[in-house]
Amino acid sequence: PEFVNFALKTFPFKAFEKFASDIGLVLVTNDDGKVYPMSYEAKSVTSLLQSKALKLGVNIKTDTKIKSIKPLFENYDNVVVACGSEAAPHLG
């Protein structure tokens, strides 16, 4: 809960809406107030985020086993490790 409160204060929904618009992500709001990409597909979100990251010069590695993280060169500020799986593999 502490992180959620921090995240929402740091990056409120209006800021997210602007960011989504800036990267070309069209959002729709359902009657229940939940917001989804117009495509209703998570892949459209990840695709646009990946495209934006690549335009910013982010080096993205996928399907990579990580044994350790050591600075080979001092040319980066951060490393993000994200792992997981498809939420609904039966949907493709």
Side-chain angles (χ1 to χ4, degrees):
E2 290 176 27
F3 173 75
V4 171
N5 289 332
F6 168 77
L8 291 175
K9 285 179 185 173
T10 305
F11 195 61
F13 185 71
K14 287 289 182 194
F16 172 73
E17 280 184 307
K18 181 175 180 342
F19 173 75
S21 176
D22 290 349
I23 66 170
L25 179 62
V26 180
L27 302 173
V28 294
T29 304
N30 287 353
D31 292 337
D32 62 4
K34 293 180 181 176
V35 179
Y36 295 94
M38 183 179 270
S39 66
Y40 284 91
E41 293 182 354
K43 287 181 183 180
S44 59
V45 178
T46 57
S47 175
L48 288 167
L49 288 172
Q50 183 175 20
S51 178
K52 178 66 174 180
L54 291 171
K55 286 179 185 172
L56 291 171
V58 174
N59 184 5
I60 298 174
K61 301 282 186 187
T62 60
D63 298 319
T64 303
K65 187 174 190 173
I66 299 173
K67 294 180 182 179
S68 66
I69 298 175
K70 300 176 190 173
L72 297 175
F73 306 100
E74 297 299 326
N75 62 350
Y76 56 86
D77 296 321
N78 299 288
V79 174
V80 176
V81 177
C83 53
S85 62
E86 293 180 7
H90 63 284
L91 298 176

